[in-house]
Amino acid sequence: MTKRIQYFDIARGIGIICVVLSHTLLDSQRIDGLSFGVAATWIFRICFSFHMPLFFILSGYFMRPNRKFRWRKESDELLATYALSSVAVIILNAIREGINHRSVLDGIRKWVVAAFYGSGAGFSNGTWEVKYPIGATWFLLALFWAHLIISLADKTPMPWMIILISFLVGYTLG
């Protein structure tokens, strides 16, 4: 049995608290129309400045790129969880569309596109527009792709080049 490293658990706990806190502030502003006070603004900015990079760093630390990519494990843990949560979001939004007397099929189509894209938030950056955020579960889809890209890059003579190209493409498009 592997012994857990306590400071990794503490870091993960801090990250989880920051995700919940910052998304709660974001949702209260978006849904209730509340404006941030000075303290809430600072908490929001601080939390959003590091919580997702922290999760990716922790995930990367425990990754074994020299191991063969485990399709079954990665699919079960990341893709299946992402798919189930996306289906829940799609169903709930379809119900909301019906309650609001809008086209349920059109709503389902929009949310399926959001799930396929893995949109964490709506945005328009000039490359394309994403109106419907699938929510925080985008991290699962992104982590699956990150694991796959790193695993494939490790099999090349210059893995750092593949990682750099992936970063530049993601940064440019994202």
PDB file of all heavy atoms in Angstrom, residues 110-147:
ATOM      1  N   LYS A 110     -27.772  22.893 -28.183  1.00  0.00           N
ATOM      2  CA  LYS A 110     -26.812  23.888 -27.709  1.00  0.00           C
ATOM      3  C   LYS A 110     -25.945  23.325 -26.588  1.00  0.00           C
ATOM      4  O   LYS A 110     -24.734  23.541 -26.566  1.00  0.00           O
ATOM      5  CB  LYS A 110     -27.539  25.144 -27.220  1.00  0.00           C
ATOM      6  CG  LYS A 110     -28.199  25.932 -28.344  1.00  0.00           C
ATOM      7  CD  LYS A 110     -28.811  27.218 -27.849  1.00  0.00           C
ATOM      8  CE  LYS A 110     -30.063  26.967 -27.058  1.00  0.00           C
ATOM      9  NZ  LYS A 110     -30.875  28.156 -26.818  1.00  0.00           N
ATOM     10  N   TRP A 111     -26.562  22.593 -25.665  1.00  0.00           N
ATOM     11  CA  TRP A 111     -25.816  22.082 -24.522  1.00  0.00           C
ATOM     12  C   TRP A 111     -24.953  20.884 -24.907  1.00  0.00           C
ATOM     13  O   TRP A 111     -23.897  20.658 -24.310  1.00  0.00           O
ATOM     14  CB  TRP A 111     -26.762  21.770 -23.372  1.00  0.00           C
ATOM     15  CG  TRP A 111     -27.226  23.051 -22.753  1.00  0.00           C
ATOM     16  CD1 TRP A 111     -28.403  23.699 -22.992  1.00  0.00           C
ATOM     17  CD2 TRP A 111     -26.492  23.890 -21.868  1.00  0.00           C
ATOM     18  NE1 TRP A 111     -28.442  24.869 -22.291  1.00  0.00           N
ATOM     19  CE2 TRP A 111     -27.289  25.016 -21.582  1.00  0.00           C
ATOM     20  CE3 TRP A 111     -25.240  23.784 -21.269  1.00  0.00           C
ATOM     21  CZ2 TRP A 111     -26.879  26.030 -20.733  1.00  0.00           C
ATOM     22  CZ3 TRP A 111     -24.824  24.807 -20.415  1.00  0.00           C
ATOM     23  CH2 TRP A 111     -25.627  25.906 -20.150  1.00  0.00           C
ATOM     24  N   VAL A 112     -25.359  20.104 -25.902  1.00  0.00           N
ATOM     25  CA  VAL A 112     -24.504  19.018 -26.393  1.00  0.00           C
ATOM     26  C   VAL A 112     -23.242  19.602 -27.019  1.00  0.00           C
ATOM     27  O   VAL A 112     -22.135  19.096 -26.810  1.00  0.00           O
ATOM     28  CB  VAL A 112     -25.266  18.105 -27.380  1.00  0.00           C
ATOM     29  CG1 VAL A 112     -24.319  17.196 -28.147  1.00  0.00           C
ATOM     30  CG2 VAL A 112     -26.311  17.283 -26.639  1.00  0.00           C
ATOM     31  N   VAL A 113     -23.395  20.697 -27.765  1.00  0.00           N
ATOM     32  CA  VAL A 113     -22.226  21.373 -28.348  1.00  0.00           C
ATOM     33  C   VAL A 113     -21.302  21.868 -27.230  1.00  0.00           C
ATOM     34  O   VAL A 113     -20.082  21.701 -27.295  1.00  0.00           O
ATOM     35  CB  VAL A 113     -22.656  22.538 -29.275  1.00  0.00           C
ATOM     36  CG1 VAL A 113     -21.482  23.420 -29.655  1.00  0.00           C
ATOM     37  CG2 VAL A 113     -23.338  21.981 -30.511  1.00  0.00           C
ATOM     38  N   ALA A 114     -21.885  22.463 -26.183  1.00  0.00           N
ATOM     39  CA  ALA A 114     -21.080  22.943 -25.055  1.00  0.00           C
ATOM     40  C   ALA A 114     -20.340  21.780 -24.381  1.00  0.00           C
ATOM     41  O   ALA A 114     -19.170  21.898 -24.024  1.00  0.00           O
ATOM     42  CB  ALA A 114     -21.959  23.662 -24.038  1.00  0.00           C
ATOM     43  N   ALA A 115     -21.021  20.638 -24.239  1.00  0.00           N
ATOM     44  CA  ALA A 115     -20.381  19.467 -23.625  1.00  0.00           C
ATOM     45  C   ALA A 115     -19.269  18.923 -24.510  1.00  0.00           C
ATOM     46  O   ALA A 115     -18.202  18.542 -24.017  1.00  0.00           O
ATOM     47  CB  ALA A 115     -21.422  18.385 -23.360  1.00  0.00           C
ATOM     48  N   PHE A 116     -19.505  18.903 -25.809  1.00  0.00           N
ATOM     49  CA  PHE A 116     -18.491  18.399 -26.728  1.00  0.00           C
ATOM     50  C   PHE A 116     -17.253  19.288 -26.695  1.00  0.00           C
ATOM     51  O   PHE A 116     -16.130  18.822 -26.696  1.00  0.00           O
ATOM     52  CB  PHE A 116     -19.057  18.337 -28.148  1.00  0.00           C
ATOM     53  CG  PHE A 116     -18.075  17.815 -29.155  1.00  0.00           C
ATOM     54  CD1 PHE A 116     -17.779  16.460 -29.216  1.00  0.00           C
ATOM     55  CD2 PHE A 116     -17.426  18.674 -30.025  1.00  0.00           C
ATOM     56  CE1 PHE A 116     -16.855  15.973 -30.122  1.00  0.00           C
ATOM     57  CE2 PHE A 116     -16.511  18.207 -30.947  1.00  0.00           C
ATOM     58  CZ  PHE A 116     -16.217  16.844 -30.993  1.00  0.00           C
ATOM     59  N   TYR A 117     -17.470  20.592 -26.632  1.00  0.00           N
ATOM     60  CA  TYR A 117     -16.364  21.544 -26.588  1.00  0.00           C
ATOM     61  C   TYR A 117     -15.673  21.542 -25.228  1.00  0.00           C
ATOM     62  O   TYR A 117     -14.479  21.778 -25.130  1.00  0.00           O
ATOM     63  CB  TYR A 117     -16.869  22.956 -26.934  1.00  0.00           C
ATOM     64  CG  TYR A 117     -15.786  23.987 -26.844  1.00  0.00           C
ATOM     65  CD1 TYR A 117     -14.812  24.086 -27.835  1.00  0.00           C
ATOM     66  CD2 TYR A 117     -15.702  24.847 -25.759  1.00  0.00           C
ATOM     67  CE1 TYR A 117     -13.805  25.012 -27.754  1.00  0.00           C
ATOM     68  CE2 TYR A 117     -14.698  25.786 -25.675  1.00  0.00           C
ATOM     69  CZ  TYR A 117     -13.749  25.856 -26.664  1.00  0.00           C
ATOM     70  OH  TYR A 117     -12.748  26.782 -26.571  1.00  0.00           O
ATOM     71  N   GLY A 118     -16.421  21.295 -24.164  1.00  0.00           N
ATOM     72  CA  GLY A 118     -15.844  21.322 -22.820  1.00  0.00           C
ATOM     73  C   GLY A 118     -15.727  22.729 -22.277  1.00  0.00           C
ATOM     74  O   GLY A 118     -14.793  23.052 -21.550  1.00  0.00           O
ATOM     75  N   SER A 119     -16.703  23.543 -22.596  1.00  0.00           N
ATOM     76  CA  SER A 119     -16.673  24.945 -22.203  1.00  0.00           C
ATOM     77  C   SER A 119     -16.925  25.112 -20.711  1.00  0.00           C
ATOM     78  O   SER A 119     -17.975  24.739 -20.207  1.00  0.00           O
ATOM     79  CB  SER A 119     -17.746  25.688 -22.997  1.00  0.00           C
ATOM     80  OG  SER A 119     -17.907  26.979 -22.506  1.00  0.00           O
ATOM     81  N   GLY A 120     -15.943  25.699 -20.018  1.00  0.00           N
ATOM     82  CA  GLY A 120     -16.125  25.967 -18.593  1.00  0.00           C
ATOM     83  C   GLY A 120     -16.933  27.226 -18.343  1.00  0.00           C
ATOM     84  O   GLY A 120     -17.601  27.367 -17.339  1.00  0.00           O
ATOM     85  N   ALA A 121     -16.864  28.165 -19.284  1.00  0.00           N
ATOM     86  CA  ALA A 121     -17.597  29.423 -19.172  1.00  0.00           C
ATOM     87  C   ALA A 121     -17.889  29.937 -20.577  1.00  0.00           C
ATOM     88  O   ALA A 121     -17.168  29.619 -21.517  1.00  0.00           O
ATOM     89  CB  ALA A 121     -16.769  30.448 -18.404  1.00  0.00           C
ATOM     90  N   GLY A 122     -18.921  30.719 -20.689  1.00  0.00           N
ATOM     91  CA  GLY A 122     -19.222  31.330 -21.969  1.00  0.00           C
ATOM     92  C   GLY A 122     -18.205  32.415 -22.290  1.00  0.00           C
ATOM     93  O   GLY A 122     -17.730  33.102 -21.392  1.00  0.00           O
ATOM     94  N   PHE A 123     -17.837  32.548 -23.543  1.00  0.00           N
ATOM     95  CA  PHE A 123     -16.877  33.580 -23.930  1.00  0.00           C
ATOM     96  C   PHE A 123     -16.941  33.829 -25.425  1.00  0.00           C
ATOM     97  O   PHE A 123     -17.467  33.038 -26.183  1.00  0.00           O
ATOM     98  CB  PHE A 123     -15.449  33.184 -23.539  1.00  0.00           C
ATOM     99  CG  PHE A 123     -14.935  31.981 -24.280  1.00  0.00           C
ATOM    100  CD1 PHE A 123     -14.303  32.108 -25.508  1.00  0.00           C
ATOM    101  CD2 PHE A 123     -15.096  30.715 -23.747  1.00  0.00           C
ATOM    102  CE1 PHE A 123     -13.844  30.991 -26.197  1.00  0.00           C
ATOM    103  CE2 PHE A 123     -14.636  29.598 -24.428  1.00  0.00           C
ATOM    104  CZ  PHE A 123     -14.005  29.736 -25.663  1.00  0.00           C
ATOM    105  N   SER A 124     -16.375  34.935 -25.827  1.00  0.00           N
ATOM    106  CA  SER A 124     -16.193  35.249 -27.237  1.00  0.00           C
ATOM    107  C   SER A 124     -14.841  35.932 -27.352  1.00  0.00           C
ATOM    108  O   SER A 124     -14.661  37.026 -26.845  1.00  0.00           O
ATOM    109  CB  SER A 124     -17.299  36.180 -27.724  1.00  0.00           C
ATOM    110  OG  SER A 124     -17.036  36.540 -29.065  1.00  0.00           O
ATOM    111  N   ASN A 125     -13.899  35.254 -27.996  1.00  0.00           N
ATOM    112  CA  ASN A 125     -12.545  35.807 -28.072  1.00  0.00           C
ATOM    113  C   ASN A 125     -12.123  36.125 -29.493  1.00  0.00           C
ATOM    114  O   ASN A 125     -10.957  36.350 -29.741  1.00  0.00           O
ATOM    115  CB  ASN A 125     -11.541  34.848 -27.429  1.00  0.00           C
ATOM    116  CG  ASN A 125     -11.372  33.569 -28.224  1.00  0.00           C
ATOM    117  OD1 ASN A 125     -12.099  33.331 -29.188  1.00  0.00           O
ATOM    118  ND2 ASN A 125     -10.434  32.742 -27.829  1.00  0.00           N
ATOM    119  N   GLY A 126     -13.033  36.114 -30.411  1.00  0.00           N
ATOM    120  CA  GLY A 126     -12.687  36.403 -31.792  1.00  0.00           C
ATOM    121  C   GLY A 126     -12.465  35.152 -32.623  1.00  0.00           C
ATOM    122  O   GLY A 126     -12.710  35.152 -33.818  1.00  0.00           O
ATOM    123  N   THR A 127     -11.965  34.061 -32.004  1.00  0.00           N
ATOM    124  CA  THR A 127     -11.771  32.814 -32.740  1.00  0.00           C
ATOM    125  C   THR A 127     -13.119  32.153 -32.968  1.00  0.00           C
ATOM    126  O   THR A 127     -13.461  31.769 -34.065  1.00  0.00           O
ATOM    127  CB  THR A 127     -10.840  31.851 -31.964  1.00  0.00           C
ATOM    128  OG1 THR A 127      -9.654  32.557 -31.629  1.00  0.00           O
ATOM    129  CG2 THR A 127     -10.493  30.644 -32.803  1.00  0.00           C
ATOM    130  N   TRP A 128     -13.876  32.003 -31.903  1.00  0.00           N
ATOM    131  CA  TRP A 128     -15.244  31.509 -31.973  1.00  0.00           C
ATOM    132  C   TRP A 128     -15.959  31.902 -30.697  1.00  0.00           C
ATOM    133  O   TRP A 128     -15.354  32.362 -29.746  1.00  0.00           O
ATOM    134  CB  TRP A 128     -15.311  29.996 -32.183  1.00  0.00           C
ATOM    135  CG  TRP A 128     -14.570  29.199 -31.155  1.00  0.00           C
ATOM    136  CD1 TRP A 128     -14.898  29.022 -29.842  1.00  0.00           C
ATOM    137  CD2 TRP A 128     -13.363  28.485 -31.362  1.00  0.00           C
ATOM    138  NE1 TRP A 128     -13.979  28.244 -29.225  1.00  0.00           N
ATOM    139  CE2 TRP A 128     -13.028  27.894 -30.128  1.00  0.00           C
ATOM    140  CE3 TRP A 128     -12.541  28.274 -32.446  1.00  0.00           C
ATOM    141  CZ2 TRP A 128     -11.889  27.118 -29.968  1.00  0.00           C
ATOM    142  CZ3 TRP A 128     -11.416  27.499 -32.276  1.00  0.00           C
ATOM    143  CH2 TRP A 128     -11.105  26.933 -31.054  1.00  0.00           C
ATOM    144  N   GLU A 129     -17.262  31.721 -30.694  1.00  0.00           N
ATOM    145  CA  GLU A 129     -18.063  32.106 -29.543  1.00  0.00           C
ATOM    146  C   GLU A 129     -18.628  30.858 -28.885  1.00  0.00           C
ATOM    147  O   GLU A 129     -19.101  29.948 -29.556  1.00  0.00           O
ATOM    148  CB  GLU A 129     -19.196  33.029 -29.984  1.00  0.00           C
ATOM    149  CG  GLU A 129     -20.030  33.522 -28.847  1.00  0.00           C
ATOM    150  CD  GLU A 129     -21.118  34.487 -29.294  1.00  0.00           C
ATOM    151  OE1 GLU A 129     -21.516  34.433 -30.477  1.00  0.00           O
ATOM    152  OE2 GLU A 129     -21.577  35.265 -28.468  1.00  0.00           O
ATOM    153  N   VAL A 130     -18.554  30.810 -27.568  1.00  0.00           N
ATOM    154  CA  VAL A 130     -19.153  29.728 -26.795  1.00  0.00           C
ATOM    155  C   VAL A 130     -20.142  30.380 -25.841  1.00  0.00           C
ATOM    156  O   VAL A 130     -19.755  31.123 -24.955  1.00  0.00           O
ATOM    157  CB  VAL A 130     -18.077  28.927 -26.014  1.00  0.00           C
ATOM    158  CG1 VAL A 130     -18.736  27.868 -25.151  1.00  0.00           C
ATOM    159  CG2 VAL A 130     -17.078  28.309 -26.967  1.00  0.00           C
ATOM    160  N   LYS A 131     -21.429  30.118 -26.063  1.00  0.00           N
ATOM    161  CA  LYS A 131     -22.469  30.779 -25.266  1.00  0.00           C
ATOM    162  C   LYS A 131     -22.818  30.005 -24.002  1.00  0.00           C
ATOM    163  O   LYS A 131     -23.260  30.589 -23.027  1.00  0.00           O
ATOM    164  CB  LYS A 131     -23.736  30.955 -26.103  1.00  0.00           C
ATOM    165  CG  LYS A 131     -23.600  31.958 -27.210  1.00  0.00           C
ATOM    166  CD  LYS A 131     -24.928  32.106 -27.921  1.00  0.00           C
ATOM    167  CE  LYS A 131     -24.814  33.087 -29.057  1.00  0.00           C
ATOM    168  NZ  LYS A 131     -26.072  33.262 -29.766  1.00  0.00           N
ATOM    169  N   TYR A 132     -22.668  28.680 -24.030  1.00  0.00           N
ATOM    170  CA  TYR A 132     -23.210  27.862 -22.957  1.00  0.00           C
ATOM    171  C   TYR A 132     -22.103  27.105 -22.224  1.00  0.00           C
ATOM    172  O   TYR A 132     -21.471  26.225 -22.801  1.00  0.00           O
ATOM    173  CB  TYR A 132     -24.249  26.883 -23.517  1.00  0.00           C
ATOM    174  CG  TYR A 132     -25.295  27.626 -24.305  1.00  0.00           C
ATOM    175  CD1 TYR A 132     -25.209  27.726 -25.693  1.00  0.00           C
ATOM    176  CD2 TYR A 132     -26.324  28.277 -23.655  1.00  0.00           C
ATOM    177  CE1 TYR A 132     -26.147  28.447 -26.410  1.00  0.00           C
ATOM    178  CE2 TYR A 132     -27.268  29.000 -24.367  1.00  0.00           C
ATOM    179  CZ  TYR A 132     -27.169  29.079 -25.738  1.00  0.00           C
ATOM    180  OH  TYR A 132     -28.085  29.797 -26.436  1.00  0.00           O
ATOM    181  N   PRO A 133     -21.879  27.422 -20.964  1.00  0.00           N
ATOM    182  CA  PRO A 133     -20.836  26.739 -20.206  1.00  0.00           C
ATOM    183  C   PRO A 133     -21.330  25.410 -19.635  1.00  0.00           C
ATOM    184  O   PRO A 133     -22.395  25.349 -19.038  1.00  0.00           O
ATOM    185  CB  PRO A 133     -20.524  27.723 -19.082  1.00  0.00           C
ATOM    186  CG  PRO A 133     -21.803  28.464 -18.875  1.00  0.00           C
ATOM    187  CD  PRO A 133     -22.469  28.533 -20.231  1.00  0.00           C
ATOM    188  N   ILE A 134     -20.555  24.373 -19.840  1.00  0.00           N
ATOM    189  CA  ILE A 134     -20.908  23.060 -19.291  1.00  0.00           C
ATOM    190  C   ILE A 134     -20.605  23.008 -17.792  1.00  0.00           C
ATOM    191  O   ILE A 134     -21.107  22.186 -17.075  1.00  0.00           O
ATOM    192  CB  ILE A 134     -20.223  21.917 -20.081  1.00  0.00           C
ATOM    193  CG1 ILE A 134     -20.970  20.600 -19.884  1.00  0.00           C
ATOM    194  CG2 ILE A 134     -18.766  21.781 -19.715  1.00  0.00           C
ATOM    195  CD1 ILE A 134     -22.358  20.576 -20.461  1.00  0.00           C
ATOM    196  N   GLY A 135     -19.781  23.913 -17.338  1.00  0.00           N
ATOM    197  CA  GLY A 135     -19.485  24.013 -15.912  1.00  0.00           C
ATOM    198  C   GLY A 135     -18.090  23.530 -15.558  1.00  0.00           C
ATOM    199  O   GLY A 135     -17.250  23.306 -16.426  1.00  0.00           O
ATOM    200  N   ALA A 136     -17.869  23.373 -14.275  1.00  0.00           N
ATOM    201  CA  ALA A 136     -16.535  23.075 -13.751  1.00  0.00           C
ATOM    202  C   ALA A 136     -16.010  21.703 -14.173  1.00  0.00           C
ATOM    203  O   ALA A 136     -14.809  21.447 -14.040  1.00  0.00           O
ATOM    204  CB  ALA A 136     -16.550  23.171 -12.228  1.00  0.00           C
ATOM    205  N   THR A 137     -16.863  20.857 -14.699  1.00  0.00           N
ATOM    206  CA  THR A 137     -16.378  19.527 -15.095  1.00  0.00           C
ATOM    207  C   THR A 137     -15.503  19.565 -16.342  1.00  0.00           C
ATOM    208  O   THR A 137     -14.952  18.544 -16.738  1.00  0.00           O
ATOM    209  CB  THR A 137     -17.553  18.555 -15.325  1.00  0.00           C
ATOM    210  OG1 THR A 137     -18.394  19.079 -16.341  1.00  0.00           O
ATOM    211  CG2 THR A 137     -18.328  18.322 -14.046  1.00  0.00           C
ATOM    212  N   TRP A 138     -15.343  20.732 -16.975  1.00  0.00           N
ATOM    213  CA  TRP A 138     -14.433  20.867 -18.112  1.00  0.00           C
ATOM    214  C   TRP A 138     -13.046  20.345 -17.738  1.00  0.00           C
ATOM    215  O   TRP A 138     -12.314  19.854 -18.587  1.00  0.00           O
ATOM    216  CB  TRP A 138     -14.330  22.328 -18.571  1.00  0.00           C
ATOM    217  CG  TRP A 138     -13.635  23.210 -17.575  1.00  0.00           C
ATOM    218  CD1 TRP A 138     -14.217  23.962 -16.601  1.00  0.00           C
ATOM    219  CD2 TRP A 138     -12.226  23.398 -17.432  1.00  0.00           C
ATOM    220  NE1 TRP A 138     -13.261  24.602 -15.857  1.00  0.00           N
ATOM    221  CE2 TRP A 138     -12.016  24.270 -16.356  1.00  0.00           C
ATOM    222  CE3 TRP A 138     -11.116  22.913 -18.107  1.00  0.00           C
ATOM    223  CZ2 TRP A 138     -10.760  24.683 -15.931  1.00  0.00           C
ATOM    224  CZ3 TRP A 138      -9.849  23.309 -17.689  1.00  0.00           C
ATOM    225  CH2 TRP A 138      -9.682  24.194 -16.611  1.00  0.00           C
ATOM    226  N   PHE A 139     -12.715  20.451 -16.466  1.00  0.00           N
ATOM    227  CA  PHE A 139     -11.406  20.018 -15.983  1.00  0.00           C
ATOM    228  C   PHE A 139     -11.159  18.541 -16.279  1.00  0.00           C
ATOM    229  O   PHE A 139     -10.047  18.142 -16.623  1.00  0.00           O
ATOM    230  CB  PHE A 139     -11.322  20.284 -14.474  1.00  0.00           C
ATOM    231  CG  PHE A 139     -10.065  19.791 -13.829  1.00  0.00           C
ATOM    232  CD1 PHE A 139      -8.866  20.456 -14.028  1.00  0.00           C
ATOM    233  CD2 PHE A 139     -10.072  18.665 -13.025  1.00  0.00           C
ATOM    234  CE1 PHE A 139      -7.697  20.009 -13.427  1.00  0.00           C
ATOM    235  CE2 PHE A 139      -8.916  18.212 -12.427  1.00  0.00           C
ATOM    236  CZ  PHE A 139      -7.724  18.886 -12.635  1.00  0.00           C
ATOM    237  N   LEU A 140     -12.188  17.718 -16.181  1.00  0.00           N
ATOM    238  CA  LEU A 140     -12.036  16.281 -16.442  1.00  0.00           C
ATOM    239  C   LEU A 140     -11.673  16.011 -17.896  1.00  0.00           C
ATOM    240  O   LEU A 140     -10.780  15.205 -18.190  1.00  0.00           O
ATOM    241  CB  LEU A 140     -13.320  15.537 -16.065  1.00  0.00           C
ATOM    242  CG  LEU A 140     -13.743  15.641 -14.600  1.00  0.00           C
ATOM    243  CD1 LEU A 140     -15.156  15.092 -14.419  1.00  0.00           C
ATOM    244  CD2 LEU A 140     -12.753  14.920 -13.713  1.00  0.00           C
ATOM    245  N   LEU A 141     -12.353  16.692 -18.805  1.00  0.00           N
ATOM    246  CA  LEU A 141     -12.058  16.533 -20.231  1.00  0.00           C
ATOM    247  C   LEU A 141     -10.652  17.051 -20.556  1.00  0.00           C
ATOM    248  O   LEU A 141      -9.888  16.400 -21.265  1.00  0.00           O
ATOM    249  CB  LEU A 141     -13.106  17.265 -21.066  1.00  0.00           C
ATOM    250  CG  LEU A 141     -13.043  17.085 -22.579  1.00  0.00           C
ATOM    251  CD1 LEU A 141     -13.188  15.616 -22.963  1.00  0.00           C
ATOM    252  CD2 LEU A 141     -14.117  17.931 -23.248  1.00  0.00           C
ATOM    253  N   ALA A 142     -10.310  18.210 -20.002  1.00  0.00           N
ATOM    254  CA  ALA A 142      -8.982  18.786 -20.228  1.00  0.00           C
ATOM    255  C   ALA A 142      -7.884  17.881 -19.659  1.00  0.00           C
ATOM    256  O   ALA A 142      -6.833  17.690 -20.289  1.00  0.00           O
ATOM    257  CB  ALA A 142      -8.902  20.172 -19.596  1.00  0.00           C
ATOM    258  N   LEU A 143      -8.131  17.299 -18.500  1.00  0.00           N
ATOM    259  CA  LEU A 143      -7.133  16.423 -17.890  1.00  0.00           C
ATOM    260  C   LEU A 143      -6.941  15.143 -18.703  1.00  0.00           C
ATOM    261  O   LEU A 143      -5.816  14.654 -18.849  1.00  0.00           O
ATOM    262  CB  LEU A 143      -7.535  16.091 -16.452  1.00  0.00           C
ATOM    263  CG  LEU A 143      -6.482  15.437 -15.584  1.00  0.00           C
ATOM    264  CD1 LEU A 143      -5.229  16.302 -15.496  1.00  0.00           C
ATOM    265  CD2 LEU A 143      -7.044  15.190 -14.190  1.00  0.00           C
ATOM    266  N   PHE A 144      -8.016  14.613 -19.266  1.00  0.00           N
ATOM    267  CA  PHE A 144      -7.891  13.442 -20.132  1.00  0.00           C
ATOM    268  C   PHE A 144      -6.979  13.764 -21.308  1.00  0.00           C
ATOM    269  O   PHE A 144      -6.054  13.011 -21.622  1.00  0.00           O
ATOM    270  CB  PHE A 144      -9.268  12.990 -20.641  1.00  0.00           C
ATOM    271  CG  PHE A 144      -9.186  11.885 -21.670  1.00  0.00           C
ATOM    272  CD1 PHE A 144      -9.062  10.575 -21.265  1.00  0.00           C
ATOM    273  CD2 PHE A 144      -9.201  12.172 -23.024  1.00  0.00           C
ATOM    274  CE1 PHE A 144      -8.957   9.552 -22.201  1.00  0.00           C
ATOM    275  CE2 PHE A 144      -9.103  11.168 -23.968  1.00  0.00           C
ATOM    276  CZ  PHE A 144      -8.977   9.845 -23.551  1.00  0.00           C
ATOM    277  N   TRP A 145      -7.244  14.886 -21.988  1.00  0.00           N
ATOM    278  CA  TRP A 145      -6.422  15.268 -23.140  1.00  0.00           C
ATOM    279  C   TRP A 145      -4.981  15.548 -22.723  1.00  0.00           C
ATOM    280  O   TRP A 145      -4.040  15.200 -23.445  1.00  0.00           O
ATOM    281  CB  TRP A 145      -7.030  16.471 -23.859  1.00  0.00           C
ATOM    282  CG  TRP A 145      -8.220  16.080 -24.674  1.00  0.00           C
ATOM    283  CD1 TRP A 145      -9.516  16.372 -24.418  1.00  0.00           C
ATOM    284  CD2 TRP A 145      -8.208  15.288 -25.867  1.00  0.00           C
ATOM    285  NE1 TRP A 145     -10.329  15.813 -25.387  1.00  0.00           N
ATOM    286  CE2 TRP A 145      -9.544  15.143 -26.293  1.00  0.00           C
ATOM    287  CE3 TRP A 145      -7.205  14.690 -26.621  1.00  0.00           C
ATOM    288  CZ2 TRP A 145      -9.903  14.434 -27.431  1.00  0.00           C
ATOM    289  CZ3 TRP A 145      -7.569  13.985 -27.761  1.00  0.00           C
ATOM    290  CH2 TRP A 145      -8.893  13.867 -28.142  1.00  0.00           C
ATOM    291  N   ALA A 146      -4.794  16.172 -21.564  1.00  0.00           N
ATOM    292  CA  ALA A 146      -3.438  16.440 -21.086  1.00  0.00           C
ATOM    293  C   ALA A 146      -2.683  15.136 -20.846  1.00  0.00           C
ATOM    294  O   ALA A 146      -1.518  14.994 -21.255  1.00  0.00           O
ATOM    295  CB  ALA A 146      -3.482  17.275 -19.806  1.00  0.00           C
ATOM    296  N   HIS A 147      -3.324  14.175 -20.201  1.00  0.00           N
ATOM    297  CA  HIS A 147      -2.682  12.873 -19.969  1.00  0.00           C
ATOM    298  C   HIS A 147      -2.327  12.193 -21.291  1.00  0.00           C
ATOM    299  O   HIS A 147      -1.238  11.631 -21.439  1.00  0.00           O
ATOM    300  CB  HIS A 147      -3.597  11.965 -19.150  1.00  0.00           C
ATOM    301  CG  HIS A 147      -3.633  12.307 -17.708  1.00  0.00           C
ATOM    302  ND1 HIS A 147      -4.337  11.566 -16.794  1.00  0.00           N
ATOM    303  CD2 HIS A 147      -3.066  13.309 -16.992  1.00  0.00           C
ATOM    304  CE1 HIS A 147      -4.203  12.091 -15.601  1.00  0.00           C
ATOM    305  NE2 HIS A 147      -3.442  13.154 -15.696  1.00  0.00           N
TER     306      HIS A 147
END
